[in-house]
């Protein structure tokens, strides 16, 4: 990987650039962007990272609306890019299939890599948010796995609730990433319903027995207190979207309360020391 140097706060960074971590999900609305908020908030609180050390980007999206993760980043001084450079607008795949599009898959991937490199200059870590499920974009050769492979970045998967269903979902989704030799670093299960402790025990036990190479960071319970912070893929590109401006990125009081509740639940449900230690360890791998 090249020579490495120690950074303030005890984390290491490659001279070639910051740590890159991709966040993938079992499906749309599983909570990828919410988990991104939890991870960034956790890193800020840890004392190992300042806002200037972090960056967030969603390089491929189906939505041009202002998402809560953008408002969180703006409120906390974290460099961010919530839209593109790749936007799957209506008709995008048809244009690609018929050859009307002049850009190749490699052209698009290079543009994404440039965007990640640009926002990552001078940073310790860049969090790369995924779109939909792992194979979204595969029709044009730019799926979440293609992007992670291009960025040489490991993935933290966000899984769904359940026991057998959650594990089956993990196996299906991890297989797509692993097809491209992308490392699945760990998994966080979100919106976990009752029986919570039973699910946590058996899913953890399965990973200990059959996938010890994958870290289980935690199980975030389904909460009736936390109001939905937005659905990163429910709002397709449309004229009614609330576009990103200096005004629309301001978080409302209600959104701020929901965000605080989400972060608190994240801290209570996720193995924070393990998550931070393994993220920092990526710089030395």
């Amino acid at each position: 990987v090249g020579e490495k140097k120690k950074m303030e706060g005890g984390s290491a960074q490659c001279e070639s650039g910051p740590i890159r971590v991709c966040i993938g999900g079992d499906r749309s609305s599983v909570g990828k962007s919410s988990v991104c908020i939890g991870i960034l908030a956790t890193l800020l609180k840890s004392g190992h990272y300042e806002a200037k050390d972090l960056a967030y980007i969603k390089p491929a999206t189906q939505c041009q609306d202002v998402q809560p993760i953008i408002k969180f980043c703006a409120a906390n001084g974290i460099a961010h890019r919530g839209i593109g450079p790749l936007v799957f607008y209506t008709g995008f795949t048809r244009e690609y299939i018929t050859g009307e599009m002049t850009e190749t898959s490699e052209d698009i991937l290079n543009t994404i890599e440039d965007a990640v490199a640009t926002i990552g200059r001078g940073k310790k870590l860049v969090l790369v948010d995924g779109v939909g499920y792992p194979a979204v974009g595969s029709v044009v050769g730019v799926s979440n796995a293609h992007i992670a492979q291009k960025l040489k970045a490991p993935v933290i998967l966000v899984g769904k609730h359940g026991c057998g269903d959650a594990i089956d979902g993990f196996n299906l989704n991890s297989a797509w990433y692993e097809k491209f030799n992308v490392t699945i670093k760990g998994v966080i299960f979100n919106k976990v319903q009752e029986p919570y402790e039973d699910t946590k025990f058996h899913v953890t036990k399965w990973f200990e027995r059959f996938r010890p190479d994958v870290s289980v960071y935690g199980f975030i319970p389904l909460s009736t207190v936390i109001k939905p912070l937005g659905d990163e893929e429910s709002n397709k590109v449309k004229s009614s979207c609330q576009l990103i401006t200096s005004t629309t990125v301001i978080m409302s009081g209600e959104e701020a309360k929901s965000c605080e509740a989400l972060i608190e639940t994240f801290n209570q449900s996720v193995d924070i020391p393990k998550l931070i230690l393994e993220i920092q360890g990526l710089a030395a791998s």
Side-chain angles (χ1 to χ4, degrees), residues 10-181:
S11 66
Q13 181 187 36
C14 294
E15 288 186 346
S16 58
I19 299 167
R20 296 170 174 177
V21 179
C22 290
I23 305 300
D26 178 87
R27 54 182 171 78
S28 298
S29 306
V30 74
K32 294 182 293 296
S33 295
S34 294
V35 166
C36 285
I37 290 175
I39 291 175
L40 290 172
T42 293
L43 294 176
L44 286 176
K45 188 177 179 181
S46 72
H48 297 299
Y49 298 87
E50 297 178 36
K52 65 180 178 63
D53 300 322
L54 304 171
Y56 165 89
I57 184 170
K58 192 178 183 76
T61 183
Q62 295 170 311
C63 173
Q64 287 186 319
D65 207 357
V66 181
Q67 298 298 317
I69 177 67
I70 299 305
K71 297 185 178 185
F72 173 82
C73 289
N76 288 276
I78 297 173
H80 56 278
R81 180 172 179 178
I83 299 176
L86 173 58
V87 178
F88 292 110
Y89 55 80
T90 302
F92 183 96
T93 55
R94 287 173 174 79
E95 290 179 14
Y96 182 88
I97 291 170
T98 58
E100 297 173 63
M101 189 178 298
T102 57
E103 284 186 301
T104 66
S105 301
E106 192 60 29
D107 290 335
I108 298 170
L109 287 169
N110 286 335
T111 301
I112 288 173
E113 185 176 38
D114 288 344
V116 173
T118 297
I119 202 167
R121 289 193 186 112
K123 309 299 181 185
K124 292 183 182 179
L125 180 138
V126 179
L127 206 57
V128 183
D129 199 354
V131 55
Y133 47 89
V136 165
S138 62
V139 64
V140 298
V142 191
S143 71
N144 291 285
H146 288 93
I147 292 172
Q149 181 189 51
K150 184 69 174 179
L151 299 177
K152 298 180 176 61
V155 172
I156 294 176
L157 273 176
V158 180
K160 57 187 173 182
H161 67 85
C163 183
D165 195 26
I167 294 168
D168 291 343
F170 168 83
N171 286 331
L172 175 64
N173 292 302
S174 62
W176 180 252
Y177 282 105
E178 289 165 348
K179 170 182 170 67
F180 296 90
N181 297 314

